[in-house]
Amino acid sequence: MCTDTIINRHLFQGKYGLLNMDEQKIIQVEQLKYEYPQSDGHLALNNLSVSINAGEWVAIIGHNGSGKSTFAKSLNGLLDLQSGSVMIDDLPLALDTVWSIRKKIGMVFQNPDNQFVGATVEDDVAFGLENQGVPRPEMIERVQEAVKRVGMLDYLKREPSRLSGGQKQRVALAGIIAQQPEILILDEATSMLDPKGREEVLATIHKLKQETNMTVLSITHDIDEAASADRIIILDNGQVYDQGTPADIFAYGQRLLDLGLDVPYPEKLKAALNKLQIEMPTDYLTTERMVDYLWTLHSKM
Amino acid sequence: MNKLILGRYIPGDSILHRMDPRAKLLASFYYIGIIFLARTWQAYALLLVFTLVLIGISKIKLDFFIKGVKPLLWLILFTVLLQIFFTRGGHVYWQWGFLSLTQYGLINGAYIFMRFVLIIFMSTLLTLTTPPLSLADAIESILKPLKVVHFPVYEVALMLSIALRFVPTLMDETTKIMDAQRARGVDFGEGNLFQQMKAIVPILIPLFVSSFNRADDLATAMEARGYQGGEGRSKYRILKWRTKDTVAFILMGLLTIALIFLR
């Protein structure tokens, strides 16, 4: 049996070897199981297995209680898993590796206020560096650089009470950039923001993604945020329900609604136009691109 | 409520603002200690001039200091009156039963009054020229020797700074909860004392619950960012002891000598 698996592995590598060289798996979880205390046997994660490539942007969507946030928190050991294994950048999550893994993962949470530790913007950005014992001269440089990247340099000495929600989330992002992790996890990071704040934060994330090519994992309710991902994973009852590109997933229409999720407006429009036998592109269109497509459509005919 | 805790620090660029908070904290405490050395009116005059000069240097209006005295006015009056009527000795101006108005009584009353005013002015000067966070840093630095007896200095300092950081957040929340209760018809500040106290309960309970939730979230966020307690942490904010801080202590020493001569 032992030789069998070895042969299988060789075959597998022979077949997918080239692919694997390009796409190094940075997150690999297998058969995660988690049950919250006092939940009467309901599993928040039920044999969940997911793998994510380095540099990929993955959105995880699902209705409330589908296990999205639990999944995010299990990746850096914020929850004690009942069973299953987590590999981050070839490092298995265990008691003695948890702090090295937390260095590799930066996490932005939902509530802008409840993750702002420092008394001012610069203090908060420095918090993670202080924890790692980074020497002060280097710390000052990295704080400046990170704050500049999120466009908050003018607010360096501001207290959190004088910042908007979007600004606070950008400071949280700066705190993560300063730590230079490989993976960025957004745990519903834009869900408590007003539309303008959400736009600011998403634009900052896009910019960072381009500059650093971090792996981004966004747990979200916001369909527009999910639409910018390379791949969408739908969770339901602690399991992967389906996955695919945003265009594939949004094409489900009614099925998404049944899962308690919403389809972005351009996709609804596209489906309606398709019904009228008007040909539409298959890839995902943002509102702007949809408008552009529509007003140039007529001139082509 | 906002003014009470927050509106204290007044940003400025005077030499007092720029002093090391440790020096300011220690010097203020020392000054309050040596006020009790003064026994003559010359000594009090010297202290008053010294304090007024410091206030002048801080470039903060005297109004703020007088406002600082106001909340304690009744306590001061009560103490002063006790001194005036119960101290005996010297020339007796007036007597009725056990109450008497004597020369020493009046002098002692005046001294006590001066002491109160000087202490309040000095502590107000400290809080007006030092941001709360710097004070927290100063306390941490001063407590550092206690690490020898395993006192968790870093943790206490972090607690202090988080507490200060959350004051405005919790204030906002209190206002929101009060508005929500008002919308449901609760009257705050009306009725007798018992009714007013009862109206506070529906504010405190939600505030308590949300504070616990916040604490939980904050702890998770801190752990995710690699917080493992005070050991092995480096510091972003550091305090710098400069010549002017040493000068402040030399001044305090000279003042002490002058006060001893004026006894």
Side-chain angles (χ1 to χ4, degrees):
Chain A
M1 201 184 108
C2 200
T3 38
D4 245 29
T5 42
I6 290 172
I7 290 166
N8 269 338
R9 198 174 294 156
H10 274 290
L11 280 174
F12 185 81
Q13 276 178 353
K15 198 170 171 193
Y16 297 102
L18 270 174
L19 252 173
N20 277 352
M21 289 225 314
D22 294 341
E23 298 179 13
Q24 190 220 341
K25 298 222 180 315
I26 195 158
I27 299 175
Q28 236 175 324
V29 302
E30 250 148 79
Q31 315 213 304
L32 291 191
K33 249 186 201 172
Y34 185 78
E35 182 191 335
Y36 280 100
Q38 294 157 347
S39 66
D40 297 326
H42 172 77
L43 289 168
L45 297 179
N46 188 3
N47 275 327
L48 180 72
S49 304
V50 168
S51 70
I52 290 164
N53 296 326
E56 202 181 4
W57 180 330
V58 175
I60 302 211
I61 59 176
H63 60 84
N64 281 334
S66 58
K68 311 184 296 267
S69 282
T70 315
F71 170 62
K73 287 195 178 105
S74 67
L75 292 179
N76 59 353
L78 292 172
L79 293 174
D80 263 334
L81 290 164
Q82 266 102 8
S83 69
S85 69
V86 175
M87 284 275 264
I88 304 292
D89 202 14
D90 293 330
L91 210 60
L93 177 67
L95 216 56
D96 54 330
T97 56
V98 68
W99 296 107
S100 333
I101 283 177
R102 283 182 190 170
K103 262 191 217 173
K104 291 175 188 288
I105 300 179
M107 233 170 146
V108 181
F109 297 90
Q110 184 174 22
N111 189 321
D113 255 320
N114 296 0
Q115 54 185 315
F116 206 111
V117 189
T120 63
V121 169
E122 53 176 350
D123 284 311
D124 189 63
V125 176
F127 179 75
L129 300 176
E130 288 179 322
N131 290 338
Q132 289 179 19
V134 175
R136 189 164 179 271
E138 191 191 331
M139 194 146 60
I140 292 171
E141 230 169 78
R142 277 162 73 172
V143 168
Q144 287 278 335
E145 165 74 19
V147 174
K148 203 165 120 192
R149 280 211 175 156
V150 300
M152 291 288 291
L153 209 52
D154 296 339
Y155 300 87
L156 217 49
K157 308 260 179 218
R158 282 274 183 104
E159 297 98 51
S161 54
R162 290 165 60 210
L163 299 175
S164 71
Q167 286 173 326
K168 275 180 228 175
Q169 291 302 66
R170 271 152 68 200
V171 172
L173 279 171
I176 283 159
I177 299 163
Q179 288 197 64
Q180 302 163 347
E182 275 113 275
I183 303 164
L184 171 64
I185 299 181
L186 307 161
D187 188 358
E188 307 208 23
T190 59
S191 66
M192 282 179 74
L193 305 178
D194 53 20
K196 190 175 155 263
R198 184 173 303 158
E199 233 167 73
E200 275 172 24
V201 171
L202 282 179
T204 312
I205 295 167
H206 274 281
K207 189 172 152 253
L208 293 176
K209 171 80 181 126
Q210 267 184 349
E211 286 169 2
T212 61
N213 200 29
M214 268 190 284
T215 310
V216 178
L217 185 64
S218 73
I219 314 286
T220 185
H221 257 117
D222 181 29
I223 280 303
D224 288 320
E225 192 180 322
S228 24
D230 302 321
R231 173 157 63 114
I232 293 180
I233 299 177
I234 305 176
L235 286 193
D236 192 38
N237 282 325
Q239 282 169 315
V240 176
Y241 174 83
D242 206 346
Q243 51 182 314
T245 61
D248 290 344
I249 298 289
F250 293 146
Y252 291 171
Q254 190 55 41
R255 253 168 83 203
L256 286 181
L257 292 176
D258 293 343
L259 279 169
L261 297 163
D262 199 10
V263 182
Y265 181 72
E267 288 297 320
K268 280 184 199 159
L269 183 62
K270 201 159 87 180
L273 289 172
N274 270 333
K275 256 190 198 163
L276 296 171
Q277 257 109 48
I278 297 171
E279 235 175 83
M280 296 296 289
T282 46
D283 54 328
Y284 172 72
L285 297 175
T286 59
T287 313
E288 268 168 55
R289 280 177 58 201
M290 178 60 116
V291 171
D292 283 345
Y293 181 80
L294 286 180
W295 75 262
T296 51
L297 179 68
H298 185 65
S299 54
K300 274 183 207 156
M301 292 207 303
Chain B
M1 206 151 52
N2 257 322
K3 288 227 170 70
L4 215 137
I5 306 168
L6 288 173
R8 302 287 282 171
Y9 171 64
I10 297 172
D13 198 35
S14 72
I15 191 160
L16 288 178
H17 282 89
R18 279 179 280 126
M19 259 174 78
D20 188 309
R22 285 172 298 187
K24 271 193 273 189
L25 190 67
L26 289 175
S28 309
F29 276 117
Y30 183 76
Y31 183 81
I32 288 166
I34 59 173
I35 286 174
F36 291 93
L37 283 177
R39 292 260 189 278
T40 59
W41 68 266
Q42 291 96 331
Y44 278 107
L46 175 68
L47 285 172
L48 186 64
V49 170
F50 186 81
T51 312
L52 289 177
V53 168
L54 284 185
I55 290 174
I57 292 173
S58 76
K59 291 180 194 144
I60 294 171
K61 278 192 210 141
L62 200 62
D63 290 9
F64 285 102
F65 295 88
I66 292 165
K67 259 185 220 151
V69 177
K70 263 187 194 157
L72 292 171
L73 203 60
W74 289 110
L75 179 71
I76 298 173
L77 270 179
F78 181 70
T79 322
V80 168
L81 286 177
L82 274 187
Q83 282 292 331
I84 291 177
F85 288 113
F86 287 100
T87 313
R88 283 157 207 279
H91 186 77
V92 181
Y93 301 109
W94 176 80
Q95 188 150 23
W96 183 76
F98 59 90
L99 293 175
S100 59
L101 194 64
T102 66
Q103 189 189 354
Y104 285 176
L106 280 178
I107 292 172
N108 262 347
Y111 287 173
I112 290 284
F113 178 75
M114 281 302 294
R115 264 184 213 167
F116 265 115
V117 170
L118 288 172
I119 291 173
I120 293 168
F121 274 19
M122 202 44 155
S123 45
T124 312
L125 188 64
L126 175 69
T127 50
L128 289 182
T129 59
T130 322
L133 188 65
S134 300
L135 276 181
D137 285 342
I139 291 169
E140 176 185 2
S141 178
I142 291 166
L143 289 181
K144 228 173 230 167
L146 287 180
K147 260 207 274 191
V148 182
V149 290
H150 298 292
F151 183 77
V153 179
Y154 277 120
E155 281 76 4
V156 169
L158 187 71
M159 257 163 56
L160 217 59
S161 109
I162 287 176
L164 287 170
R165 175 247 166 283
F166 272 95
V167 168
T169 311
L170 292 182
M171 290 277 199
D172 278 354
E173 184 132 325
T174 313
T175 320
K176 261 187 216 158
I177 295 170
M178 281 177 81
D179 285 346
Q181 306 289 21
R182 272 202 199 99
R184 296 186 176 96
V186 180
D187 275 327
F188 294 110
E190 268 182 38
N192 59 35
L193 193 68
F194 183 69
Q195 280 168 326
Q196 283 193 33
M197 271 160 61
K198 250 178 95 180
I200 303 272
V201 176
I203 304 175
L204 284 186
I205 291 173
L207 199 61
F208 235 75
V209 172
S210 89
S211 300
F212 274 101
N213 285 336
R214 276 183 199 284
D216 199 29
D217 279 0
L218 192 67
T220 309
M222 282 168 67
E223 277 206 3
R225 288 168 76 181
Y227 180 74
Q228 312 175 55
E231 284 314 307
R233 290 193 87 213
S234 51
K235 283 206 62 103
Y236 182 73
R237 279 193 317 272
I238 54 163
L239 300 171
K240 273 211 188 89
W241 192 276
R242 296 195 176 81
T243 326
K244 56 175 171 276
D245 303 304
T246 314
V247 170
F249 274 91
I250 295 172
L251 265 177
M252 283 293 157
L254 293 176
L255 190 67
T256 317
I257 296 168
L259 283 176
I260 290 169
F261 271 107
L262 288 174
R263 272 169 86 94

